[in-house]
Every structure is written in structure tokens, then in C-alpha cells.
Amino acid sequence: MNIFGKLSLDAIPHDPVALAGVVFMFSAGIAALVALTYFKLWRWLWEEYLTSLDPKKIGIMYIVVAVLMLVRGMADAGMMRLQQAISVGDSFGYLSPEHFQQVFSAHGTIMIFFVAMPILFGLINLIMPLQIGARDVAFPFLNSVSFWLFAAGAGLINLSLVLGEFSTAGWLAYPPLSELQYSPGVGVDYWIWALQISGIGSLLSGVNFITTIFKMRAPGMTLMRMPIFVWTSLSSMVLVVFAFPILTATLSMLALDRTLGMHFFTTDLGGNVMMYVNLIWAWGHPEVYILVLPAFGIFSEIVPVFSQKRLFGYTSMVFATAGITFFSYLVWAHHFFTMGAGAKVNAFFGIMTMVIAIPTGVKIFNWLFTMFRGRIIFSSPMHWFLGFVVSFTIGGMSGVLLSIPGVDFELHNSLFLVAHFHNMIISGVLFGYFAGITYWFPKIFGFKLNENLGVYAFWCWIVGFFVAFMPLYILGMMGATRRLDHYDASMGWQGLFIVAGVGVCIIGLGVLFQVLQMYVSIRDRKKNIAGADPWNARTLEWSVPSPAPMYNFAHIPHVYGRDPLWARKQGIEHHEPPYTDIRMPKNSPLGLLLGLFGFLFGFGIIWHMYWLVPAAALGAIVCIVVRALDEHTEETISAAVVERIERANPSVTV
Amino acid sequence: MNRTETEHVRDTSLLGFWLFIMSDCLLFASLFATYAVLGHSYAGGPSASEIFSLPFVLLETLILLTSTLTCGLAVVALYKRNREQILGWLFVTGALGALFLALELHEFVTLIAEGHGFQASAFLSAFFTLVGTHGLHVSIGLLWMLFMMAQVYRTGLTNVTERHLMCLALFWHFLDIVWIFIFSFVYLLPIIV
């Protein structure tokens, strides 16, 4: 047996566009390594981040990786728009169909799994423990393992640029196209194992965060006193725990088909293709809400703070969140009304889909009523919120249109659908995350982001978004299907495709402003020192110093109502006992090693290097045993150190 | 750590482990659903009632059920804080689990040798995957059990070993329940219907 399995030098891409990508990736990687060595940052990186079990550090790592992946996903989007703008009639554009298919598959996969998910986990790590008055998550080591498994998945998907190819079967890899018969290469295997490994990380995070929210709340922080971001995180994580196992099972079955010649989804020997489509969407629809619920939570934190008024309809917000969590399991078939399940099944799923719009509407009204007669401060997080309300409502309405099975038969798989879900995900999820990052940035780093550049970025994003996606609604109605690499000039679509391409350029300008914002803010950080509570906020994370110390709270707070910090600022509560020793988890490199073994495990299966698979599994087991044998996983931060940190960066005192 | 803090840590671990088991339940639910859909896709090959030997599976079932009883007795010994009894019952549980696994492997090997391997039809793919996933869980449980026996032997009953033993017992009982469903739906139902 060849120890390299299917891997040979032929796996390095020869096509010039792909080769340029490889060269770019390598030079960026080497530049980063050189910079780290030159500035002697390795030790700092290792001790402060790579081996850290502090959820705030892990959160930062999640978001940094996600932002890098966002850049790659946006490059893919730009490539698609350029191809579709020029590949008409006799011109076939600059991408081969094969390459174009890899690009759209990578775009979808990256944006959902390696941008939206990690930003979500990053924000929950950063903020949720602070909001419930906890010093840490329930299982700090598991948290590190989750992150490194995610990083292993991200590593695999980037490796597919350099070695071999990526899947051409779309972001959900429907069989039979994704079966061995039609996709014999390693592309689909890369897709499966990148998702499988990072998916297990997500599942572990789900378990970890639910336990944290149930068991680690500060005294007095009853469930109905929790900030809405905590509620939506809880709901989102409940969905993770209930939905991701379905993804794990489905991906495993596809992998068994491809690797061991089984017949779950093949077209012969009794395999059932629609089984895959049902299973993947039984995970996939909850996934949409996994992403968007925390974004709703972020807006529910931001709107009261920047309206200087308490949240309108807290209880209805909680129930709406719970309702969405429940209903998200009853709508999956609306992704394939055209399957032929019959009128009754389609009617049920159509009605459920319309019903789920109701709790979402409740939330919109709650935010609007929170603003009503408030003292609204038009900061950049508030801009993101207002942009979200307008475009999310439009996207919601196009969604209700699509929920009518008869209409869906007409629009299924068209660009109308593409426009709809980008409408939901860009304005719902991404704007929410941008707002959250801007809002909580000072808590993590101690200084504010530049406001003006943030507002410019917002305007580019919102204008670019409408210019890029409104034409797609029209194109969809004109019959343009998604994933087209070429079309006939007589269709009359080119003008609209060019407009959409211009929209992407405007969004690109927005991204440039965001990069510039980061640069300027870091340069001027001394001028923008935030202090503990820069926004005159209401919840506990703003009561501790900025940046938040590793132990979060020198004294575990006692909570007497909703918006505890607000209450304290009104002089309702006050106490400051002397500082005491705090026990915190020690750093551990084992999470990183487990991620590495996960990566090697996936790599071994993808390239049929079968000796590597058991070796990697054994390595992972050894890591777990070593961790289980370690009896000294905690260290003490002495009261003197706590006092020094607290004096250097004061918390809110009344 | 004082007493309440220890209890808090134990409760937290147990809740986390329950959640993990819930997610594992969903994994099995997906595989059961798949089996329900593909269980009759014989592709011209044999059906379930033609290839399964019920007395053999009953034997497997009884062995696994007995191992659950002995696992429960190990937990009773844990409450009594009797280290020797814990080790003894864990050993019996592990031995029964290994026997179960050996019988399952024997069944698999026989089926494959008779030409009813997992590549033969969608029904057999679903069967091998569902039952094999359970077997994989049992193997992990056995490895864990070995590790825990070494731990109890080495360090005695610390807060950590106690917590881990509770989780292991939960896991083992869970696997037993899953097996009862496999026995009923995969093996028994085709015979009855």
C-alpha cells in the first residue's frame, strides 16, 4: 500500500487562477510566520492565545479566523459576480465551469460554517459569561477543544485550495452529484471532513454553553432576569445540540457511501437520494435560526442602550425566541417543496413557515417600541440595527412569498431564492454580528472603534447590498437559475448582472472602510480609552473594567432585577467587599493538539492514507487520557494581583 | 474546595453529560429514521427476517442487559465507597461488554462471509451503520471503563473519579436503552410483522 494514498504531485493545481490563489495563500502564510518570528511574538501567541482556556481569548481567536475566512468568502463572491457579468453569449468568462462550481460551493460553505458560526461562538464566548456574572464557562478545556476542532475544519477547507480540489456539488452537496460515481475526486471529501470536524466542535460548544447558562449564573440572576442575548444564545445552543447530531449522521452516511461503498444515497441498490435532502435540511433549517437568534439577541442589547430606555416587552421577547426555536424544526421541507411530497405535506410546511414569521414580527415591533420616545443615539451599532430592520423585513416578506408552495414551484432554485436568503443572512446575521462586534469591542480591548469610519462602512454595506441583491430578485423572476456560469445574450440578463457586480464592489468598499476603521482605531487607541461603561449601558459586562480581566469579576455580583448595572447606577445597590484569591483554569496545549489530530484524521480519510487515520485517533485518545490524568488544572490569582488589576482599570463604582 | 462547591461541580458535569447524551440520542434517532426509510430497500437481496438469527441476538441482548445490572451494582458500591466492590463490578461489566462486542463482530463477519455485506443493499448499509454505531459506542465505553478501573485502582475515590464514574454509568445505561430499541425495531419487528 502506498503510504501517500491518493496523494501525488498532480494534486497541486495547474490552472492559472487557482495557482494565483495558492501563491497568494502561501505568501500570506509565510509573511505571517516571518512577522511573528521577527517581532519575537511566538511565546506571546502561545501563552496568551493558542493554549489559553480563557473564553475571551478563545472568542477573539474565533473572530480573527472568521474574519480571515470572510475575506476568502468575499473573494469567491466577487469572482462569481465577475464571471456572471461577462460570461454571456460567445464569451465564456475567465473561469472554467468546473472552477466556477468549486467557487460557489466554497463560498456558501465558508460563509455559513467558517464565518457565521465562528463569529457566533466567538461573541458568545466573549460576552455571555460576563452577562450572567460568571468567571468562566462550565467546561473551559472543552471550550478550547471546540475552537481547535473548528480551526482544524477551517484548515482542511483552505488546504483544498493547495492540494487537490474542492467540492463542485454546492454548499450542501446533494447526492447523487456528491456521490463517488459523479464526484470521484477528493473535493466532496474535503467538504465532508471540514464540516464533520468543525461540526463536532460546534456540538461540544453547544453542550458547554447550555450548561454554563444553567449552572453558572450569579446569585439572583434568575432565568427571567437574563439579558436577551443570553436567552437567544441559550436557544441557539439548544438548537445546536438538537440539530448538529443530524448533520453528523448525514455526513457520516455520505462519507460511508463514498469511502466504504455503502448505498444510503446512491442511485442504485436501493439508495434514496431524497433521504439526504430531508436529513440535511432537518439540520439546515434550524441552522438558519442558530445563526440569526443570537443576532436578534445582540440587537435586543443594543436598542435599549442606544435608546436609553429599557427593552420593551422583555417577556414577549423571551417567548418569541422560544417559539422560533420550536417552530424551526417544523419547516424543513420548505426547502424542497418540489420534491413531490404532495399537497397536504406541502401545505403543512407552507403554513408553518408563515407561522414562524409571527414571533419574528413580535421581535421587530418590540425593538421599534423600545425606540419609541427613547433618547436615541445614532451610533454605528444603531445604524446597523436600522439597516437590519429595513432589509430584514424585505427579506422576510420575500420569504413568506416563497413559503407558498405554488409560488415556490416557480421560483425554486432561482436567483430569487438566492436574493432572499442573502437578504436574511447578510442583513440579519452579518449586520447583527457587526453591530455586536462594534458594541462590545471596547469591553474586550479597552478602546472604542472609530465611529465615523464605522458609519461609512455601514452606508457602503447597505447601499451595496441593495444594489447587489435587488437585481437578483428580478433576475430570478425572469427565470435565471442559481449557479449559472454562462447564459445566452438573448435572455437580456447581462445588464442586471452587471448592476449586481457593481453592488458587490460597493460592499467591497465597505469592507475597506472596516479595515481602515480597525487600523485607525488601533492607531488612535490612546485617544479612545473606553473605561468600564462607555455606552451608559445596562447589563453586567459593562460593570467590570475594560478590557475585562481574566477572572471577569473580582467579586461575583448579586443581581436584584433585570438590567442590573442600570439599577446600580441609579443607586439601588452598592457593595464592595475586600478582594479575595480567585481560582482560574491553567493554560493547556492539549486542545490545540486534539485539533491537530482531528485535522490529520480528516486528511487521512480524504487522501485514503489509511495508516494515518488510526494513528490520529490514537493520538487524540492519548491527549484525552493525559488531560484526564492531570490533577492540577487550576491556578490561583492572588488577591494582591486582583487588586492591582482592578485599580489600574476601574470598574463602575457608584 | 468546600462541600457545596464540590457538589456544584458534580452537578455541572452531570448536566453537561446529560446534554451530550441527548445529542447522542439525536444521532441515533437520525440513524433509526434512515433505517426506517431504507429498511425495506433490499435491492433484490435477502430481507431482514431471512438473515438474522433471533436466538443469537437474544443472547447478545441478555448479556448487555446483565452488564447494565452489574454497572448499576458498581454505582451502588460507589455510594458505599467500597473500592474493591467498584473494581469488581466494573470488571464484570467490562467483561460482559466485551463478550457482547465479540458476538456482534461474529454476527457481522458471518453476514459478510455469506455475501450480505454492507455494500449489498441500502437495507444492509443502514443495518450495519446503525448497529455498528452502537458497537462503536460500546467500544468507547469499554476503553473508558478500563481507564476508570486504572484510575480507581491508582488514586482511589477522588471527586474527579467519582464524577467520571457517574458519567460512565449514565453512558452505559444509555447504550443499553439504545440497544433495546435496536433489538425491537431491527431484529424483532420483521419477525412479528
Side-chain angles (χ1 to χ4, degrees):
Chain A
M1 196 175 77
N2 182 357
I3 59 160
F4 290 111
K6 283 160 65 173
L7 187 60
S8 70
L9 281 178
D10 295 337
I12 297 164
H14 303 303
D15 150 41
V17 181
L19 211 56
V22 172
V23 171
F24 174 76
M25 237 180 70
F26 261 109
S27 14
I30 289 168
L33 295 185
V34 169
L36 281 172
T37 314
Y38 182 78
F39 293 108
K40 299 195 169 62
L41 292 176
W42 280 107
R43 174 181 282 275
W44 166 81
L45 189 68
W46 179 260
E47 285 176 0
E48 289 293 312
Y49 284 95
L50 302 186
T51 60
S52 177
L53 301 192
D54 179 348
K56 293 179 291 299
K57 297 286 172 59
I58 291 175
I60 292 169
M61 288 196 287
Y62 265 119
I63 292 178
V64 167
V65 178
V67 167
L68 293 177
M69 296 302 282
L70 176 69
V71 172
R72 195 188 149 193
M74 291 212 42
D76 287 337
M79 285 167 81
M80 282 189 281
R81 279 282 143 269
L82 182 60
Q83 170 76 7
Q84 289 184 324
I86 60 178
S87 174
V88 52
D90 296 331
S91 156
F92 286 87
Y94 69 110
L95 289 176
S96 66
E98 168 83 10
H99 194 172
F100 183 76
Q101 288 160 5
Q102 289 189 36
V103 171
F104 69 63
S105 303
H107 171 76
T109 310
I110 287 174
M111 288 305 200
I112 297 291
F113 291 95
F114 299 101
V115 177
M117 288 298 278
I119 299 184
L120 159 69
F121 286 127
L123 283 174
I124 295 179
N125 261 312
L126 289 174
I127 298 307
M128 182 272 286
L130 280 164
Q131 284 198 326
I132 61 172
R135 286 189 172 138
D136 206 338
V137 293
F139 309 112
F141 176 66
L142 201 63
N143 202 14
S144 159
V145 174
S146 291
F147 168 75
W148 286 109
L149 288 176
F150 152 74
L156 278 177
I157 207 167
N158 282 325
L159 190 68
S160 73
L161 267 184
V162 185
L163 279 184
E165 56 181 357
F166 192 61
S167 167
T168 54
W171 81 282
L172 282 185
Y174 280 7
L177 179 58
S178 57
E179 287 286 355
L180 204 56
Q181 194 182 356
Y182 302 102
S183 298
V186 291
V188 178
D189 298 311
Y190 266 118
W191 180 83
I192 291 174
W193 291 100
L195 263 57
Q196 189 73 296
I197 291 167
S198 65
I200 291 168
S202 305
L203 188 60
L204 296 176
S205 290
V207 169
N208 203 346
F209 292 142
I210 297 176
T211 314
T212 306
I213 294 172
F214 277 133
K215 288 286 179 190
M216 310 277 283
R217 278 169 289 135
M221 176 67 81
T222 59
L223 287 175
M224 288 308 271
R225 286 176 183 168
M226 295 195 309
I228 293 288
F229 179 68
V230 179
W231 265 111
T232 53
S233 301
L234 176 64
S235 304
S236 165
M237 293 303 114
V238 167
L239 288 174
V240 164
V241 169
F242 276 97
F244 266 76
I246 310 177
L247 179 72
T248 308
T250 313
L251 293 174
S252 302
M253 287 189 258
L254 186 62
L256 287 169
D257 273 5
R258 291 180 57 87
T259 317
L260 295 182
M262 292 200 184
H263 293 283
F264 286 105
F265 314 121
T266 56
T267 44
D268 57 346
L269 293 174
N272 189 332
V273 171
M274 287 319 291
M275 181 77 200
Y276 180 90
V277 180
N278 270 286
L279 281 171
I280 202 88
W281 282 114
W283 157 80
H285 199 87
E287 167 70 10
V288 175
Y289 289 97
I290 289 170
L291 297 178
V292 83
L293 280 174
F296 289 167
I298 293 168
F299 290 131
S300 304
E301 300 300 315
I302 285 170
V303 174
V305 167
F306 293 104
S307 304
Q308 296 290 296
K309 201 173 148 234
R310 82 188 162 88
L311 183 72
F312 181 91
Y314 175 94
T315 313
S316 65
M317 209 61 134
V318 171
F319 278 94
T321 306
I324 293 174
T325 307
F326 176 74
F327 282 116
S328 69
Y329 278 99
L330 300 177
V331 297
W332 82 86
H334 72 208
H335 295 272
F336 45 94
F337 279 139
T338 50
M339 175 173 84
K344 285 176 185 152
V345 171
N346 281 357
F348 172 80
F349 282 99
I351 291 167
M352 280 302 141
T353 308
M354 295 175 205
V355 166
I356 206 168
I358 296 172
T360 317
V362 168
K363 284 170 172 274
I364 300 265
F365 281 113
N366 279 339
W367 293 316
L368 295 181
F369 283 126
T370 305
M371 288 170 69
F372 181 62
R373 290 193 173 159
R375 288 165 193 249
I376 297 167
I377 302 159
F378 280 105
S379 60
S380 57
M382 207 56 183
H383 279 78
W384 291 114
F385 167 73
L386 292 170
F388 151 81
V389 169
V390 174
S391 54
F392 193 79
T393 307
I394 295 171
M397 286 190 291
S398 69
V400 173
L401 269 179
L402 283 168
S403 77
I404 303 161
V407 176
D408 184 80
F409 270 63
E410 206 54 42
L411 295 170
H412 182 85
N413 235 13
S414 72
L415 286 177
F416 187 92
L417 167 80
V418 173
H420 159 69
F421 71 69
H422 282 87
N423 221 173
M424 305 313 270
I425 290 185
I426 291 183
S427 65
V429 178
L430 205 59
F431 285 11
Y433 292 173
F434 285 158
I437 290 172
T438 318
Y439 175 61
W440 282 308
F441 191 89
K443 184 46 64 188
I444 305 307
F445 294 104
F447 57 95
K448 284 197 206 179
L449 287 173
N450 185 297
E451 269 293 296
N452 287 340
L453 287 167
V455 173
Y456 298 159
F458 163 76
W459 281 112
C460 290
W461 266 94
I462 189 92
V463 172
F465 167 77
F466 277 103
V467 176
F469 289 97
M470 290 303 128
L472 297 198
Y473 277 118
I474 305 166
L475 280 166
M477 301 235 237
M478 290 164 79
T481 53
R482 67 200 292 198
R483 297 167 180 168
L484 280 180
D485 64 298
H486 181 256
Y487 49 90
D488 203 82
S490 65
M491 305 305 287
W493 294 341
Q494 193 179 19
L496 286 169
F497 271 121
I498 290 173
V499 173
V502 171
V504 170
C505 294
I506 302 175
I507 293 179
L509 195 63
V511 175
L512 272 185
F513 274 122
Q514 285 172 308
V515 174
L516 196 64
Q517 180 193 29
M518 199 56 80
Y519 169 74
V520 170
S521 309
I522 293 174
R523 191 193 63 192
D524 299 345
R525 62 188 178 279
K526 294 276 187 315
K527 289 182 219 155
N528 292 319
I529 298 290
D533 180 24
W535 312 113
N536 194 13
R538 319 176 69 83
T539 40
L540 284 177
E541 74 270 31
W542 300 106
S543 69
V544 303
S546 305
M550 58 282 216
Y551 47 79
N552 287 359
F553 297 89
H555 318 293
I556 295 295
H558 285 256
V559 179
Y560 301 101
R562 268 172 220 157
D563 295 348
L565 176 62
W566 191 261
R568 201 188 296 177
K569 284 189 285 195
Q570 311 300 320
I572 298 170
E573 75 179 84
H574 177 78
H575 54 103
E576 192 163 321
Y579 297 108
T580 50
D581 291 354
I582 295 173
R583 287 191 70 75
M584 295 300 290
K586 264 198 274 195
N587 282 10
S588 164
L590 288 168
L592 193 158
L593 279 176
L594 271 166
L596 183 68
F597 286 121
F599 177 88
L600 292 175
F601 185 89
F603 187 80
I605 299 183
I606 291 166
W607 288 103
H608 294 199
M609 292 157 75
Y610 290 124
W611 58 271
L612 188 58
V613 179
L618 190 68
I621 292 173
V622 169
C623 287
I624 296 169
V625 170
V626 168
R627 177 70 188 181
L629 289 176
D630 190 354
E631 284 155 21
H632 306 286
T633 56
E634 292 191 332
E635 62 191 355
T636 304
I637 301 171
S638 71
V641 174
V642 174
E643 185 167 355
R644 201 183 65 222
I645 294 171
E646 294 289 313
R647 295 233 184 282
N649 298 302
S651 52
V652 174
T653 45
V654 199
Chain B
M1 275 198 289
N2 57 36
R3 188 173 163 72
T4 47
E5 219 176 315
T6 313
E7 278 173 10
H8 183 253
V9 171
R10 195 189 59 206
D11 288 356
T12 306
S13 294
L14 279 178
L15 176 66
F17 201 74
W18 271 109
L19 287 167
F20 162 74
I21 284 187
M22 200 155 73
S23 74
D24 221 19
C25 243
L26 264 290
L27 181 84
F28 278 107
S30 311
L31 295 176
F32 271 109
T34 307
Y35 188 81
V37 171
L38 300 178
H40 295 282
S41 301
Y42 306 125
S47 69
S49 54
E50 285 170 89
I51 53 171
F52 297 146
S53 153
L54 207 53
F56 185 82
V57 182
L58 186 65
L59 181 68
E60 275 182 90
T61 308
L62 290 177
I63 289 170
L64 197 65
L65 286 181
T66 315
S67 83
T68 291
L69 175 68
T70 57
C71 181
L73 291 172
V75 175
V76 173
L78 175 66
Y79 285 141
K80 290 195 293 194
R81 310 195 66 78
N82 185 330
R83 196 164 130 188
E84 282 69 37
Q85 273 191 22
I86 296 175
L87 283 172
W89 286 123
L90 279 185
F91 178 78
V92 176
T93 311
L96 288 169
L99 187 58
F100 167 85
L101 207 60
L103 289 176
E104 185 166 272
L105 277 178
H106 173 73
E107 187 199 17
F108 280 9
V109 170
T110 317
L111 281 174
I112 293 171
E114 287 168 358
H116 310 315
F118 46 78
Q119 298 180 333
S121 68
F123 150 62
L124 283 163
S125 298
F127 164 76
F128 274 97
T129 305
L130 173 57
V131 180
T133 304
H134 179 266
L136 191 66
H137 277 74
V138 173
S139 319
I140 292 168
L142 284 177
L143 283 181
W144 190 5
M145 209 170 281
L146 271 179
F147 177 74
M148 284 318 298
M149 282 161 70
Q151 274 290 74
V152 173
Y153 181 77
R154 207 173 59 93
T155 63
L157 291 175
T158 62
N159 290 330
V160 179
T161 48
E162 202 175 324
R163 217 161 62 215
H164 288 183
L165 278 172
M166 296 294 285
C167 291
L168 174 61
L170 265 180
F171 186 64
W172 200 257
H173 293 315
F174 165 69
L175 292 184
D176 203 55
I177 294 170
V178 172
W179 181 259
I180 290 174
F181 278 91
I182 291 180
F183 180 66
S184 315
F185 285 110
V186 176
Y187 293 103
L188 209 52
L189 204 62
I191 310 277
I192 299 170
V193 179

